[in-house]
Amino acid sequence: MDGCDSTAVQAFAGRFLDDVSGGMTSVLCALGDRLGLFRALAEGGPASSAELAARAGLDERHVREWLLGLLSAGYLDARQQAAEEPVFSLPPEHAAVLAHDDSPFFLGGAAGLVPALAAMLEPVAETFRSGGGVPQEAYPEGLYRTMWRMSASWLGTLLLPQWIPAIDGLAGRLAAGGRVAHLGSGGGHALVLIARAFPRARCTGYDRLRLHVDRARREAADAGVSDRVEFVHGDAADLLPATGDHALVLALDVLHDAPDPAAALHAVRAALADDGVLLLLESAGAERATDNRGAAAALLYGASVLYSVPVSLAAKGRAPGMLGLPAGELRRLCAEAGLTSVRELPPPTPLNALYEIRP
């Protein structure tokens, strides 16, 4: 083509193929996670395709192709002597990310987001043509099961061991019976953890998706904490009581999806005691949207295009997107709501920022 640098074209074509390959690899990872292949390989040690298939109770031919695919991507190692069948292994460093849910480095469940969100390609494409959004209820349950599993993994390793102790006096207030609210409580795991650790605390979660609320109520019942944990179906901006007595409000990676983030923060201020705290987890974004570059930003923008923006627009929201609430914008919204103290805590991942916010 006229005006094109053929070397640059070839370089970009290579980059494009790398990206498409990464998408295929993530789907293979989602499949392996769903079928327990990573765990079987990590726990049982190196194996041929037949041995791994027997461990996992699966068909050998399918397992063999899966192994070869992830070997080609550099996720697995293999050794082969002469005419023997190759023996595959999962390096321990890779197992920490892919196989062990209790690892602080576990990210394997995240691969499940790719096929679940890709399944919504046509409904989302239609919103590009017609405007509007896609309601939460239209997304597959598998997407939310992936979210529940991912949040349970990082909450288990961070909420009680690190985040609550990092906030002066909070553990003592919860032990004494402090009141807790959770905006966008999802599968309910955060409040169940708090209720089990602090039996005198009284906790209420709010979520706009009935599927989340039903799942959270089951988890609370299974954990034996239903007497002190309640889950309410609806928008916390409308339902959070303006009692001025809450010791803690949680908003963990949900404020950007709220129909009106400013209204949600005003409701939080009205609910918090003067010495209460909002623990806020948000996507880590640059102040200028065009400065968000690289793999992490591309991942978040992809999820934003396929989920965050459509969901917010369907609720008649302002749809800031997953990277639309950087630190400066958050501080501005908090100040307008009367939340004047904003302190950044050590971030849990390169994708997120964590804030301790007080009146």
Side-chain angles (χ1 to χ4, degrees):
M1 294 177 63
D2 292 341
C4 284
D5 180 335
S6 61
T7 302
V9 170
Q10 291 175 6
F12 180 71
R15 158 67 193 279
F16 177 72
L17 289 175
D18 286 344
D19 288 343
V20 174
S21 172
M24 288 294 186
T25 299
S26 68
V27 174
L28 291 181
C29 287
L31 188 63
D33 181 70
R34 180 179 298 184
L35 296 173
L37 285 164
F38 287 122
R39 182 174 287 276
L41 192 56
E43 293 182 349
S48 67
S49 58
E51 291 167 340
L52 184 60
R55 282 181 204 167
L58 301 171
D59 178 78
E60 185 276 336
R61 182 64 188 89
H62 292 287
V63 170
R64 189 195 330 159
E65 207 73 1
W66 179 85
L67 286 165
L68 290 169
L70 287 182
L71 175 67
S72 70
Y75 281 52
L76 305 179
D77 291 335
R79 67 176 190 271
Q80 185 174 16
Q81 294 182 354
E84 294 180 359
E85 289 293 313
V87 173
F88 300 87
S89 59
L90 181 64
E93 297 81 6
H94 298 192
V97 175
L98 297 171
H100 302 304
D101 290 50
D102 57 352
S103 163
F105 304 103
F106 179 72
L107 293 172
L113 295 174
V114 176
L117 288 174
M120 297 301 294
L121 195 61
E122 188 52 42
V124 170
E126 183 55 35
T127 67
F128 274 65
R129 303 183 185 103
S130 63
V134 180
Q136 287 179 298
E137 294 81 3
Y139 285 79
E141 184 174 338
L143 172 65
Y144 298 114
R145 286 198 301 268
T146 297
M147 291 180 177
W148 299 335
R149 182 170 172 228
M150 289 171 60
S151 64
S153 177
W154 54 261
L155 284 169
T157 58
L158 294 172
L159 180 62
L160 296 177
Q162 296 185 31
W163 294 353
I164 287 178
I167 300 173
D168 289 344
L170 180 57
R173 292 204 62 195
L174 296 178
R179 194 170 179 182
V180 182
H182 189 176
L183 280 63
S185 47
H189 195 62
L191 291 188
V192 168
L193 288 174
I194 289 173
R196 293 176 67 178
F198 303 100
R200 296 180 64 187
R202 292 299 179 267
C203 307
T204 305
Y206 303 88
D207 204 288
R208 294 184 291 118
L209 182 63
R210 171 63 70 180
L211 182 69
H212 281 326
V213 173
D214 292 343
R215 168 67 176 77
R217 288 172 177 170
R218 290 195 300 272
E219 175 153 343
D222 290 346
V225 297
S226 294
D227 59 327
R228 53 189 187 274
V229 179
E230 177 186 16
F231 292 99
V232 178
H233 180 221
D235 191 342
D238 301 323
L239 300 174
L240 191 61
T243 49
D245 63 351
H246 284 66
L248 173 66
V249 175
L250 299 170
L252 305 178
D253 208 22
V254 295
L255 190 62
H256 55 258
D257 291 334
D260 188 343
L265 290 171
H266 276 87
V268 168
R269 175 61 190 97
L272 278 177
D274 288 341
D275 59 351
V277 61
L278 166 63
L279 184 62
L280 178 71
L281 183 71
E282 260 302 325
S283 302
E287 297 301 323
R288 295 194 312 173
T290 53
D291 289 336
N292 290 314
R293 305 290 182 97
L299 171 63
L300 291 173
Y301 274 124
S304 195
V305 167
L306 293 169
Y307 183 80
S308 183
V309 168
V311 162
S312 183
L313 290 176
K316 310 300 181 186
R318 53 168 285 210
M322 291 193 72
L323 287 162
L325 296 176
E329 176 67 1
L330 273 176
R331 290 177 185 276
R332 184 186 70 79
L333 291 173
C334 286
E336 290 179 353
L339 298 164
T340 57
S341 174
V342 179
R343 180 172 76 100
E344 290 197 42
L345 300 173
T349 75
L351 300 177
N352 299 112
L354 183 66
Y355 303 90
E356 173 192 346
I357 301 173
R358 295 179 180 271

